[in-house]
Amino acid sequence: MSNHLLSLTTFLPILGVLLLLFIPKDSKGVLRGVALAVTVVTFLVSLPILTGFQSNAEFQFLENAPWIAAGPFVMRYSVGIDGISLWLVILTTFIMPLAVLSTWTAVEEKVKEYMICLLLLETGMLGAFISLDLFLFYIFWEVMLIPMYFIIGIWGGKNKIYAAIKFFIYTMVGSLLMLVALIFLYFKGLDAGFSNFGLLQFFDLRLDPATQTWLFLAFALAFAIKVPMFPLHTWLPDAHTEAPTAGSVILAAILLKMGTYGYVRFAMPLFPDAAHRFTPLIATLAVIGIIYAALVAMVQEDVKKLVAYSSVAHLGFVMLGVFAFNTQGITGGMLQMLNHGVSTGALFLIVGFIYERRHTRLITDFGGLSKQMPIFATIFMIVTLSSIGLPGTNGFVGEFLILLGSFESELRWWAVIASSGVILSAVYMLWMFQRVMFGELDNPKNQTLTDLNAREIAIMVPLIALIFIMGVYPNPFIEKMNPAVQKLVAQTKPLGMSARQMPAMQGLPAGHPMVPGMAAPPAFEQAAPAVAEPNEVK
């Protein structure tokens, strides 16, 4: 059974979909109960993956079986996890029951279809995180797109169609670029003697600089849309604002991580030379995103849109840490991905709670809510402090490691500028909190609001617990991911950089990781021997 834990976790939601198909549409309570039970069971099944995971750099819980073979085209069902994907899998199974609970009463139309979309989405996200075959990853990547499109387009707000189509077009453009790059990479692999899309063997395939550049750009653009990075972020505020609460929570907590995960798992180790070459550009866009999104968030009148722009800023920090190419920066980036999933997911839940009561998200419609809703105010304050990275909460450790890693690399000036984003986030978050929660409770509609009920408190308690656990004692999280991060740092060293490219790099700041101790360029287009395939499933 342990050999199939990843598959069991990934496809349990599909079994839930089959169950839902046999339940009448009018049995809304049963439909919600079954969907919740399936997501809870999926979370429980995923826990042995966490407890059984060994803190080393190897991929674990491997499964590898032939799937499609047509002439030279071979695709295998190849899955596994390392310390980088482990926590993203657990985060996904952890968030999904909360997401189902969050719209327990908010969604009354097409409940059956809504729950089916949520479960399909969970399978797509889990599959993408565990895929060790490039084509399998692409399939799961596309599977995620469809249910999220329907969640926004059917159960969203008044501009739902516009937001859903915008989300679809942006993501599809990135997906098509990645598909073309995948096919090209596959034929490069065939030339090197590879017979399938297995990701591990492609890590050892050293491509010439021009090929790396084009392939990196295709992958990087697809992932940049998903992050989303400035200036490709414009679909996100619309999608967040129009999506129902569960859609926003999943989008912020998990789906956006597909972009940053894509860089770490694919774009950087597959094309290390190109990744280093584009580091100044990506770091610049990340810092612009941090500052720009913070300034735009500051003037938002809609609480949900403010939180959406804060996501753009937070993920800019993640990108900065990842492209520091050192252990501190990448570990900080990975940790911040988890932190953002917990904190921003909690913020969208809070916005959903208040929207269900008042059917407005405008900051000016509130004020003085702490007098009427003390439990809500307390939870809102904790989540707000975690979002701005107060020491003792989860947000602090990730941001600190990112800035430390960036400063230790040659992105130190980018780190200095990015640090102003920490201050700006405190300004717009605390200012928003002050206007919503404090002041006079002079709006009659707010004077009759009820505090959080037992269901809503039950949703928030696990998130609050994680905020403090990850903030006070983050080491268990870091220990699991550190070996894989160190392996990634070694994989992404630009050993394939040719002497011909060196002059172009001299314009970079002194001490840039590409410059000192540059190894002699190896012969390009000589693929290293393919790594041994994981044990085939019997």
Side-chain angles (χ1 to χ4, degrees):
M1 179 62 74
S2 63
N3 287 337
H4 302 288
L5 262 179
L6 287 181
S7 292
L8 186 61
T9 303
T10 302
F11 293 106
L12 258 178
I14 294 293
L15 293 178
V17 170
L18 296 178
L19 281 176
L20 290 177
L21 290 176
F22 293 99
I23 300 174
K25 290 186 175 183
D26 295 336
S27 304
K28 297 178 182 177
V30 178
L31 290 165
R32 294 184 182 110
V34 170
L36 177 63
V38 169
T39 53
V40 170
V41 170
T42 303
F43 173 63
L44 295 176
V45 169
S46 72
L47 290 180
I49 298 173
L50 176 61
T51 55
F53 186 85
Q54 304 298 316
S55 295
N56 59 51
E58 302 304 318
F59 283 94
Q60 300 170 38
F61 298 96
L62 292 168
E63 297 175 47
N64 190 4
W67 185 15
I68 302 173
F73 175 83
V74 178
M75 195 179 76
R76 304 181 70 84
Y77 177 76
S78 178
V79 298
I81 56 168
D82 63 355
I84 291 173
S85 49
L86 168 70
W87 288 113
L88 294 171
V89 169
I90 301 301
L91 176 68
T92 304
T93 59
F94 171 77
I95 287 291
M96 286 307 296
L98 306 181
V100 172
L101 267 176
S102 69
T103 43
W104 199 261
T105 57
V107 173
E108 287 292 338
E109 299 294 328
K110 298 182 174 63
V111 174
K112 183 173 183 174
E113 292 83 354
Y114 181 72
M115 295 301 170
I116 287 174
C117 283
L118 288 180
L119 295 181
L120 286 174
L121 189 56
E122 183 172 16
T123 289
M125 294 184 296
L126 289 171
F129 285 135
I130 66 172
S131 294
L132 294 182
D133 182 283
L134 287 165
F135 199 77
L136 186 64
F137 169 78
Y138 183 79
I139 289 175
F140 280 119
W141 177 276
E142 291 299 294
V143 166
M144 291 184 295
L145 172 63
I146 305 302
M148 181 50 79
Y149 169 78
F150 285 123
I151 287 173
I152 298 172
I154 296 177
W155 295 278
K158 60 181 180 180
N159 293 321
K160 57 191 178 186
I161 301 299
Y162 168 76
I165 291 176
K166 194 173 181 179
F167 164 78
F168 189 85
I169 290 175
Y170 269 71
T171 309
M172 275 306 295
V173 169
S175 297
L176 289 176
L177 280 172
M178 185 165 62
L179 178 61
V180 173
L182 277 179
I183 293 172
F184 188 83
L185 186 62
Y186 170 71
F187 283 104
K188 281 289 182 182
L190 280 182
D191 293 341
F194 302 163
S195 59
N196 54 58
F197 280 92
L199 173 65
L200 303 186
Q201 61 189 358
F202 281 100
F203 285 153
D204 295 313
L205 179 62
R206 286 294 181 174
L207 300 166
D208 63 87
T211 304
Q212 281 205 36
T213 297
W214 288 111
L215 290 178
F216 175 81
L217 285 175
F219 274 85
L221 187 58
F223 298 141
I225 291 171
K226 206 70 155 187
V227 170
M229 288 187 70
F230 176 88
L232 304 170
H233 66 284
T234 58
W235 64 269
L236 182 68
D238 292 318
H240 266 314
T241 306
E242 300 303 325
T245 297
S248 295
V249 171
I250 295 170
L251 198 57
I254 308 164
L255 269 188
L256 301 186
K257 310 303 178 301
M258 291 296 166
T260 47
Y261 174 76
Y263 277 102
V264 174
R265 174 63 77 226
F266 301 99
M268 291 166 57
L270 287 176
F271 320 111
D273 297 340
H276 278 273
R277 201 175 306 125
F278 284 99
T279 290
L281 173 63
I282 291 175
T284 301
L285 293 177
V287 172
I288 291 175
I290 292 169
I291 306 298
Y292 166 80
L295 293 175
V296 175
M298 207 173 294
V299 298
Q300 292 304 310
E301 298 178 350
D302 185 319
V303 181
K304 202 172 186 182
K305 195 167 274 190
L306 183 150
V307 177
Y309 276 105
S310 77
S311 279
V312 178
H314 286 146
L315 289 164
F317 274 107
V318 174
M319 291 299 295
L320 185 66
V322 164
F323 274 82
F325 285 101
N326 56 34
T327 304
Q328 296 94 326
I330 297 176
T331 301
M334 295 303 305
L335 200 59
Q336 193 64 0
M337 288 165 66
L338 303 179
N339 294 334
H340 179 263
V342 173
S343 301
T344 307
L347 279 174
F348 279 116
L349 286 168
I350 286 171
V351 175
F353 295 155
I354 199 67
Y355 182 76
E356 282 187 42
R357 286 164 170 76
R358 287 282 279 106
H359 299 288
T360 177
R361 296 186 300 259
L362 294 179
I363 295 174
T364 52
D365 287 338
F366 300 108
L369 294 191
S370 61
K371 299 180 179 70
Q372 191 68 21
M373 307 172 67
I375 299 175
F376 176 79
T378 305
I379 292 175
F380 195 178
M381 172 59 86
I382 294 171
V383 176
T384 300
L385 294 178
S386 85
S387 180
I388 64 178
L390 187 79
T393 62
N394 57 338
F396 173 75
V397 183
E399 282 188 351
F400 176 77
L401 287 176
I402 287 171
L403 293 175
L404 179 66
S406 304
F407 199 83
E408 285 189 347
S409 75
E410 291 309 320
L411 295 178
R412 60 178 65 94
W413 289 110
W414 284 268
V416 169
I417 300 171
S419 61
S420 64
V422 178
I423 301 169
L424 291 174
S425 73
V427 172
Y428 67 75
M429 288 301 295
L430 292 177
W431 190 32
M432 178 269 290
F433 184 82
Q434 181 263 326
R435 287 180 288 166
V436 171
M437 303 310 301
F438 297 131
E440 294 298 323
L441 188 63
D442 50 8
N443 189 328
K445 293 180 181 177
N446 294 333
Q447 293 169 358
T448 57
L449 291 178
T450 57
D451 210 341
L452 297 187
N453 57 38
R455 174 181 62 86
E456 292 164 335
I457 294 173
I459 292 172
M460 297 306 297
V461 164
L463 295 167
I464 299 297
L466 263 183
I467 284 172
F468 287 118
I469 291 171
M470 296 177 71
V472 174
Y473 190 47
N475 220 32
F477 297 87
I478 295 174
E479 282 177 349
K480 295 278 190 186
M481 66 176 70
N482 236 1
V485 170
Q486 289 169 357
K487 183 179 179 182
L488 176 66
V489 171
Q491 279 180 320
T492 52
K493 287 188 183 303
L495 297 179
M497 193 66 70
S498 69
R500 180 167 51 82
Q501 293 173 283
M502 292 296 289
M505 295 158 46
Q506 301 307 314
L508 293 172
H512 189 278
M514 288 188 290
V515 177
M518 184 68 68
F524 281 123
E525 310 241 9
Q526 286 186 347
V531 297
E533 290 289 345
N535 294 330
E536 186 167 321
V537 176
K538 302 295 183 187

